[in-house]
Amino acid sequence: MFLSVIIPAYNEEKRLPETLQKVRDYLSAQRYEYEVLIVNDGSTDTTPGVVRGLIKDWKNFRLIDNQKNQGKGTVVKQGMLETKGDWRLFMDADNSTDISQLDKFWEFIKLNPKSEIRNPKQILNSNDQNSKHNYDIIIGSRYLKADSIKIEQPLGRRIVSRFGNFLIRVLLGIQSVDTQCGFKLFSLEAAEEIFPLQKIERWGFDMEILAIAIQKGYKIKEVPVDWYDAEGSQVKKSAALKTLKELLQIKWRMMRGKY
């Protein structure tokens, strides 16, 4: 299995069908083996039924239907450890970063010699040791290029987002400009070492997995991706304060050598 795509979903009955159709269209045009795992996070709407009805005849798509809401971090972790791909991508259910942006990642991947396909774009060969290609983690960024953000968030959310990223970089030593973009690719090795150590259950999990990756010596490549603010965000205003608390928890764990 070359690629696994994990899509966490909470009350996404309206937006998820279009996202899944786009994911299917993109992946069905590729020549590598893939799987797509939708992980329901205890939705209170009809998300599970909508997904089941849509994917019932779709090869390589499946649903994990958690009855209890546990948080985005928990279900992403569940999906990362449940899937089998040599490369594992998690993306948002609102398709704020389209699956096609994955094309920008492939030139940076560290090839897994056990993979059935060396590189979907035939950019590398199995003996290439160039450091440009030596990444186990590639993350999408909204902030590396001025034109990456196609539809902006409201001003208040933009200010909170940028200030939060600043605090994350200062306190955790993460050099990435955008730690919170929900479009991240992990090698099998990185996923299976990092995610079992993840403790944060909700929105702050992104910064925790990157902090763990740095502690473990993984190289992280940040790549500009197109991003669209989607209406109907599931992120509540109180999430900023909760994420700040989680940031301090991660820093405390780092200081105690818990990772």
Side-chain angles (χ1 to χ4, degrees):
M1 179 74 66
F2 181 73
L3 177 68
S4 298
V5 178
I6 297 97
I7 305 176
Y10 175 70
N11 289 353
E12 292 288 356
E13 62 183 5
K14 295 180 179 179
R15 299 188 297 185
L16 191 53
E18 182 178 359
T19 297
L20 293 180
Q21 186 63 61
K22 288 181 177 180
V23 169
R24 186 191 188 209
D25 291 346
Y26 171 83
L27 291 175
S28 63
Q30 310 307 315
R31 294 194 293 177
Y32 49 78
E33 188 179 5
Y34 67 87
E35 63 176 339
V36 178
L37 179 63
I38 304 99
V39 189
N40 177 47
D41 188 18
S43 294
T44 57
D45 66 0
T46 62
T47 294
V50 167
V51 172
R52 286 193 187 95
L54 187 65
I55 69 172
K56 61 181 180 180
D57 298 319
W58 290 8
K59 183 180 179 182
N60 303 329
F61 280 71
R62 60 191 178 100
L63 169 71
I64 292 181
D65 186 11
N66 294 302
Q67 300 301 305
K68 179 182 177 182
N69 178 261
Q70 303 171 82
K72 182 180 179 182
T74 299
V75 294
V76 168
K77 175 180 178 178
Q78 182 182 16
M80 278 284 175
L81 298 178
E82 173 75 17
T83 49
K84 305 298 182 184
D86 289 338
W87 292 93
R88 303 176 189 185
L89 173 80
F90 73 81
M91 62 176 289
D92 290 335
D94 62 10
N95 203 44
S96 53
T97 297
D98 190 82
I99 183 72
S100 62
Q101 295 296 294
L102 191 57
D103 288 344
K104 299 177 179 179
F105 285 12
W106 295 132
E107 63 179 298
F108 301 106
I109 69 172
K110 180 180 178 182
L111 298 178
N112 184 337
K114 295 182 180 179
S115 176
E116 295 179 7
I117 181 169
R118 293 292 181 257
N119 188 306
K121 296 299 179 184
Q122 301 301 314
I123 295 173
L124 311 178
N125 62 63
S126 59
N127 296 317
D128 196 334
Q129 297 300 315
N130 191 312
S131 61
K132 177 182 178 182
H133 308 135
N134 197 29
Y135 293 95
D136 277 292
I137 302 169
I138 308 170
I139 66 175
S141 175
R142 298 164 286 184
Y143 303 137
L144 285 180
K145 290 179 63 178
D147 64 348
S148 287
I149 298 179
K150 306 303 182 182
I151 299 178
E152 290 190 325
Q153 296 173 309
L155 178 60
R157 287 179 61 191
R158 294 204 305 271
I159 293 172
V160 170
S161 176
R162 296 309 297 269
F163 181 65
N165 272 285
F166 170 75
L167 286 180
I168 292 166
R169 296 199 302 273
V170 170
L171 290 179
L172 303 185
I174 299 173
Q175 298 303 310
S176 303
V177 176
D178 186 3
T179 60
Q180 302 307 107
C181 180
F183 198 80
K184 294 181 173 69
L185 180 70
F186 293 78
S187 69
L188 180 155
E189 177 186 352
E192 294 190 347
E193 182 170 15
I194 292 168
F195 283 89
L197 299 175
Q198 176 197 326
K199 302 297 183 184
I200 300 298
E201 297 179 341
R202 297 192 179 273
W203 302 110
F205 83 98
D206 292 86
M207 54 191 176
E208 183 181 33
I209 57 178
L210 294 180
I212 296 170
I214 292 170
Q215 295 279 304
K216 297 299 181 183
Y218 287 104
K219 292 175 62 180
I220 301 169
K221 178 65 178 179
E222 190 173 17
V223 176
V225 294
D226 293 345
W227 187 87
Y228 299 78
D229 183 49
E231 294 183 1
S233 172
Q234 299 295 335
V235 183
K236 298 179 181 178
K237 293 181 179 179
S238 60
L241 291 176
K242 293 179 180 177
T243 302
L244 176 59
K245 178 181 178 181
E246 291 168 343
L247 172 59
L248 297 176
Q249 291 173 338
I250 295 165
K251 180 64 176 178
W252 178 241
R253 291 191 185 111
M254 290 175 64
M255 292 172 62
R256 298 174 64 199
K258 295 297 184 179
Y259 298 133

